[in-house]
Amino acid sequence: MEDQARMMSGLVGLSGLSQVDVGDHDAGRKQHSLGQPQQDIGDILQQIMAITDESLDEAQARKHALNCHRMKPALFSVLCEIKEKTVLSIRGIQDEDPPDPQIMRLDNMLLAEGVSGPEKGGASAAAAAVAAAAAGGSPNDGSIEHSDYRAKLTQIRGIYHSELEKYEQACSEFTNHVMNLLREQSRTRPISPKEIERMVGIIHRKFSSIQMQLKQSTCEAVMILRSRFLDARRKRRNFNKQATEVLNEYFYSHLSNPYPSEEAKEELAKKCAITVSQVSNWFGNKRIRYKKNIGKFQEEANLYAVKTAVDAASVSSQASQANSPATPNSGGYPAPCYTPDGML
DNA sequence: CCTTATGATTTTTT
DNA sequence: AAAAAATCATAAGG
């Protein structure tokens, strides 16, 4: 109501044609049929179109001129009529705003994956997670390792957020434009604030449908990532050569007691770029497998014993060099209970 | 393909 | 709770 009144007053103030919509049809037609050149109307239209391009003073003057034009009432009535028609036809489409279950689902998923999550902390939260994992002190069992996974996830997250921001910015920019345009035009054209509002709504819906696409594709990416990493975390990837070397070195140089302390494990983990639990796994596997078939590991044992011996001791005794590597064990852990055959 | 090596997981033992 | 042992599942090599 208020809107209506405001609009009306605006129109009236501009043109003083309070009774535009009633009887002027005939006038217009009369004028037209009287042979008044059609060019006249074309001119007016053109001038109206050009209004926004002009400076305010110019426009003001031009507007005044237009309002005093004898064709103005007719044109205005036509516009009113057209508008009424379109409003009628649009009104049916007005029903809207179902809280889209689809988009809710996507939102929830993104939230659960930590993509759209507490977004101020986007980078910092991820960084914190990384730091916690890297610090090693965390209860770093098998659940959230795979820095690869996290890196990819944060990458996706970054893309998602920047895109989202872009969309939002574009949306508000566009909305502003449209609103300004409509407001500007509402001075010469019958446009109610409600209509502007509706227009904004339409724009927002359009943009949010675009956003949904973004969300959808982000979801897809996350799903793919998950299937490739988390679900495949049971998939085995061999450690690199250097890592196994470090581990073996430790194992064979502590063959009498191959139970690294927590600190030692952490250090090994760091050196090998694996997790502490992986170190534990490795030692568990190694111990049982070594014990189960010492013979099979003899060669390896010698190799690493030699290595560490050479590494640690310079040259203490020449004769023992051949001997000591073959029997590096001195304590409770199962010693090779047979004499090395393949060795020199 | 089949076999072996190997990292991870599950179950059992201590 | 930690280690041992059994088991699983895949990588890697012939």
Side-chain angles (χ1 to χ4, degrees):
Chain A
M1 286 212 197
E2 235 177 34
D3 300 339
Q4 197 90 0
R6 227 185 297 145
M7 175 184 82
M8 279 323 257
S9 77
L11 292 176
V12 169
L14 246 170
S15 51
L17 19 81
S18 355
Q19 340 118 300
V20 178
D21 22 3
V22 201
D24 291 85
H25 250 96
D26 288 349
R29 235 184 278 143
K30 246 180 260 163
Q31 300 254 359
H32 193 33
S33 58
L34 274 177
Q36 195 47 260
Q38 205 156 354
Q39 195 192 359
D40 235 23
I41 293 178
D43 274 353
I44 295 171
L45 275 173
Q46 209 157 13
Q47 287 176 55
I48 288 177
M49 292 310 204
I51 268 176
T52 50
D53 291 337
E54 297 165 352
S55 75
L56 273 184
D57 289 351
E58 247 179 343
Q60 221 48 39
R62 191 73 66 134
K63 260 187 228 165
H64 189 69
L66 276 173
N67 286 331
C68 295
H69 195 284
R70 56 197 163 79
M71 288 296 286
K72 165 77 189 234
L75 192 55
F76 201 88
S77 86
V78 170
L79 288 176
C80 280
E81 197 179 307
I82 291 172
K83 178 198 159 186
E84 205 157 325
K85 273 186 199 158
T86 44
V87 164
L88 273 178
S89 68
I90 282 173
R91 206 173 283 157
I93 317 171
Q94 261 297 54
D95 58 294
E96 22 84 36
D97 261 342
D100 202 339
Q102 177 103 22
I103 209 165
M104 293 268 287
R105 202 171 57 81
L106 289 176
D107 271 338
N108 285 341
M109 213 204 102
L110 289 174
L111 205 79
E113 290 311 321
V115 171
S116 66
E119 68 150 326
K120 321 140 200 162
S124 73
V130 170
S138 61
N140 196 358
D141 55 330
S143 62
I144 315 271
E145 33 207 26
H146 255 310
S147 57
D148 258 10
Y149 174 78
R150 264 202 318 274
K152 288 255 164 65
L153 193 70
T154 47
Q155 197 183 328
I156 288 177
R157 180 204 191 89
I159 292 172
Y160 171 79
H161 277 122
S162 74
E163 288 295 303
L164 201 64
E165 203 174 325
K166 250 193 271 173
Y167 284 157
E168 250 150 36
Q169 199 183 323
C171 180
S172 69
E173 224 168 82
F174 189 69
T175 305
N176 259 347
H177 266 101
V178 168
M179 272 172 68
N180 284 341
L181 207 64
L182 288 181
R183 256 193 239 121
E184 172 68 29
Q185 296 205 350
S186 73
R187 284 196 239 156
T188 40
R189 199 150 75 74
I191 299 170
S192 74
K194 230 171 210 148
E195 279 177 291
I196 297 182
E197 214 172 284
R198 210 193 53 223
M199 202 59 218
V200 169
I202 289 171
I203 294 169
H204 280 166
R205 271 200 295 286
K206 286 282 180 215
F207 270 91
S208 82
S209 83
I210 294 172
Q211 275 185 14
M212 200 176 84
Q213 282 183 329
L214 171 68
K215 283 177 181 176
Q216 184 139 21
S217 59
T218 306
C219 268
E220 254 165 52
V222 170
M223 288 309 255
I224 290 169
L225 192 67
R226 271 176 77 84
S227 68
R228 257 196 47 221
F229 279 88
L230 281 199
D231 297 346
R233 69 176 181 272
R234 196 192 175 94
K235 254 193 179 171
R236 193 173 60 71
R237 298 202 47 98
N238 288 356
F239 300 152
N240 62 40
K241 190 108 179 160
Q242 195 208 333
T244 52
E245 204 147 297
V246 170
L247 292 168
N248 272 317
E249 230 165 79
Y250 188 98
F251 180 79
Y252 285 111
S253 64
H254 298 70
L255 199 50
S256 57
N257 185 34
Y259 297 89
S261 66
E262 205 56 33
E263 292 83 47
K265 280 184 196 171
E266 276 167 31
E267 177 142 352
L268 285 168
K270 207 162 124 194
K271 264 201 238 176
C272 301
I274 59 178
T275 68
V276 172
S277 49
Q278 281 178 304
V279 173
S280 296
N281 286 340
W282 190 91
F283 272 88
N285 283 322
K286 192 73 184 181
R287 282 191 300 259
I288 193 73
R289 281 163 187 166
Y290 179 83
K291 195 169 86 178
K292 225 160 149 182
N293 189 353
I294 293 171
K296 199 168 64 183
F297 289 91
Q298 201 55 46
E299 197 173 340
E300 191 176 76
N302 280 327
L303 201 142
Y304 282 101
V306 167
K307 190 181 242 180
T308 54
V310 168
D311 236 15
S314 20
V315 192
S316 44
S317 53
Q318 306 90 321
S320 65
Q321 241 177 358
N323 191 17
S324 75
T327 56
N329 47 323
S330 54
Y333 208 70
C337 47
Y338 75 125
T339 51
D341 45 3
M343 316 317 332
L344 58 115

